[in-house]
Amino acid sequence: MEYDKNFDWAKRDLELIWHPCSQMKDYETLVPIVIERGEGVYLYDTEGNRYIDVISSWWCNLLGHCNPQISAAVKQQADTLEHVIFANFTHKKVIELCDRLIKIIPKGLCKFNFADNGSSAIEMAMKMSFQYHQQTGNPQKTKFMALTDAYHGETIGALSVGAVDLYSEIYKPILMNTIKVPAPDCYRCPYGKLHGNCDCECFEKAEEVFEKFADETCAILVEPLLQGSAGMKVYPPMYLTKLRALCDKYNVHLIADEIATGFGRTGKMFAFDHAGVSPDIMCVSKGLTGGYMPMAIAITTQKIYDAFYADYSTGKAFMHSHTYSGNPLAASAAVEVLKILEDGTVLKRANENAIYFHDLIKNTFANHPNVGDIRHIGLINAIEIVEDKAEKKSFSRKFRLGYQIYKKALKRGVLLRPLGDIIYFNPPLIFERKDMDYAVKVAYECMVEVLEEHKSLSLQS
Ligand SMILES: *Cc1c(COP(=O)(O)O)cnc(C)c1O
């Protein structure tokens, strides 16, 4: 098939493709942007327009697009071994990957089971935990706990432990029953405390739920320190420390969903590192391969692994597989990511820039009457737009203010993609100050324009 120079790629896209997490009718007014190439924090479309990718292409691009070192490693791997069955077979890259990971992950995690996307790793962790309890004398443990506002992926099991209604509401009749623990909410703290200036009083809610339901519970899943899809809600490490102790008390596994937070996003290698405790199972994906290839891992302890280790005839094995488990191309990208992060300079630079970035955002946004909250961790910053600052009252979703800001910012070369009315930045770790200056200026100006337009529209009606 030949495409001529003037071929309308976007039009053909819309004839063929159903895009993720989209109302396709919206594409009538915002046709898909055809990206030709990427370089560092920039994406370039077929018309030569440049976009600063401040959301790391859905939070996975860690070290810039087309990072020369990662690209070279993947190219070399493609000429060596592209894929091999991972039952009974293995290969050097994936072993090197685990060897490198084990040195940097929270203590006690030491067995690596591979999947190819985050949702699958979450479900793998849930199955592991369930089966562990079945095989260690607690068959009554059949339920899962998760925080309200949680996001753990889109497949039916992962959606069941999630609680963002936008994604799960309609599917409720086919989801499994899970037990929800009220999540910390530092912006609208029911105890009237300020973020980081508390004793996690809200943890008493978790204690109440554990008291009632822990006996029938296998595990609790958490997005450590950062509930991303909920609107980049940040909560203090003390919550995790307390949760670790509570899980130990009740023999409930602590499953860390580090899919969004892993690999330096929160300023440390993993969010759990801020708390100084370890989960029983940790799921990683996204930044793991620098955003090059789909790969995910559920990493667990010797203790959990041992509950499955027996003669074949006992039926205790974990009979779970994904075709692309341990894929060599993905492993080669991941090894290279870890090599780049190894000496700490990238993270050190990111943490220095994070101070600059947050100050810049605070100074730009804080005084605006519709900016209710600015929260941050690592390079991640979120700005919550509200209708009434004193009441912390949101605008009605039907105005889609965030979406309008998104469209405006695209025209000016910044890829923002707000979550509802929450503008956020989750850039690659290599994000530098001059791009910060531009992206923040554009985000602010687009927000102001949209709010003024909204005001004049409401006055008319
Ligand atoms: C993205 C994400 C997932 C799901 O990963 P997929 O690869 O999209 O299935 C799960 N949990 C968190 C915290 C995420 O950010």
Side-chain angles (χ1 to χ4, degrees), residues 270-282:
F270 297 98
F272 256 79
D273 296 341
H274 292 269
V277 293
S278 296
D280 299 293
I281 309 177
M282 178 167 96

Side-chain angles (χ1 to χ4, degrees), residues 426-458:
N426 185 4
L429 300 181
I430 54 144
F431 199 40
E432 281 296 334
R433 298 182 186 191
K434 84 174 169 12
D435 291 317
M436 292 176 178
D437 293 342
Y438 182 72
V440 170
K441 177 172 155 23
V442 167
Y444 182 72
E445 288 171 6
C446 292
M447 177 191 81
V448 170
E449 274 176 41
V450 165
L451 286 167
E452 309 239 301
E453 283 165 18
H454 175 73
K455 216 193 293 173
S456 58
L457 273 177
S458 343

Side-chain angles (χ1 to χ4, degrees), residues 36-56:
E36 186 82 59
R37 64 187 185 88
E39 189 184 336
V41 296
Y42 307 124
L43 294 166
Y44 296 88
D45 71 14
T46 44
E47 273 146 43
N49 300 308
R50 191 186 84 172
Y51 304 88
I52 305 182
D53 186 1
V54 297
I55 58 154
S56 299

Side-chain angles (χ1 to χ4, degrees), residues 74 82 116 285-286 288-296 327-334:
V74 174
E82 85 304 337
D116 46 23
S285 186
K286 292 202 166 110
L288 169 65
T289 65
Y292 264 68
M293 304 284 297
M295 172 175 263
N327 176 259
L329 291 170
S332 71

Side-chain angles (χ1 to χ4, degrees), residues 18-276:
W18 193 346
H19 285 270
C21 203
S22 298
Q23 169 49 264
M24 292 309 298
K25 193 166 192 298
D26 283 346
Y27 286 58
E28 287 173 11
T29 49
L30 181 62
V31 297
I33 296 160
V34 186
I35 295 298
E36 186 82 59
R37 64 187 185 88
E39 189 184 336
V41 296
Y42 307 124
L43 294 166
Y44 296 88
D45 71 14
T46 44
E47 273 146 43
N49 300 308
R50 191 186 84 172
Y51 304 88
I52 305 182
D53 186 1
V54 297
I55 58 154
S56 299
S57 279
W58 259 346
W59 319 352
C60 64
N61 184 283
L62 194 71
L63 299 164
H65 292 281
C66 296
N67 178 290
Q69 194 177 327
I70 306 172
S71 295
V74 174
K75 282 182 215 168
Q76 196 185 13
Q77 188 61 44
D79 285 334
T80 312
L81 174 69
E82 85 304 337
H83 188 60
V84 60
I85 177 174
F86 206 44
N88 284 115
F89 289 80
T90 190
H91 56 92
K92 290 179 188 165
K93 276 293 173 200
V94 78
I95 299 165
E96 181 180 351
L97 171 58
C98 298
D99 233 348
R100 287 179 175 275
L101 277 170
I102 202 166
K103 295 191 179 77
I104 59 170
I105 55 182
K107 225 172 51 223
L109 298 170
C110 60
K111 293 288 178 187
F112 300 77
N113 202 327
F114 284 81
D116 46 23
N117 66 78
S119 309
S120 297
I122 290 293
E123 298 208 6
M124 196 199 297
M126 291 166 69
K127 285 173 67 180
M128 255 179 207
S129 173
F130 170 81
Q131 192 172 338
Y132 169 92
H133 291 297
Q134 292 296 307
Q135 293 174 181
T136 54
N138 285 300
Q140 81 288 358
K141 286 188 178 277
T142 58
K143 296 257 173 64
F144 293 92
M145 287 183 193
L147 298 183
T148 52
D149 269 353
Y151 180 84
H152 296 292
E154 302 289 357
T155 52
I156 291 177
L159 210 52
S160 300
V161 280
V164 180
D165 277 350
L166 178 64
Y167 308 121
S168 60
E169 181 77 46
I170 186 152
Y171 306 107
K172 286 203 171 138
I174 55 168
L175 300 183
M176 69 176 119
N177 262 328
T178 54
I179 300 157
K180 294 288 166 2
V181 174
D185 187 350
C186 298
Y187 174 39
R188 296 179 174 88
C189 178
Y191 300 83
K193 302 279 177 174
L194 293 175
H195 177 86
N197 216 333
C198 69
D199 289 313
C200 283
E201 282 77 1
C202 60
F203 193 74
E204 68 183 19
K205 298 286 176 207
E207 285 166 343
E208 285 165 19
V209 175
F210 267 67
E211 190 145 334
K212 269 200 207 126
F213 299 110
D215 191 47
E216 55 190 280
T217 300
C218 305
I220 180 166
L221 294 96
V222 287
E223 294 162 88
L225 305 192
L226 175 77
Q227 291 193 294
S229 298
M232 299 294 169
K233 286 169 62 186
V234 181
Y235 63 90
M238 185 194 289
Y239 195 90
L240 297 177
T241 320
K242 291 188 175 194
L243 189 57
R244 176 69 273 176
L246 194 62
C247 285
D248 287 342
K249 179 174 167 195
Y250 287 101
N251 188 25
V252 167
H253 288 143
L254 179 49
I255 300 177
D257 178 350
E258 292 255 10
I259 293 165
T261 48
F263 306 98
R265 292 290 188 194
T266 66
K268 291 187 188 279
M269 195 56 81
F270 297 98
F272 256 79
D273 296 341
H274 292 269

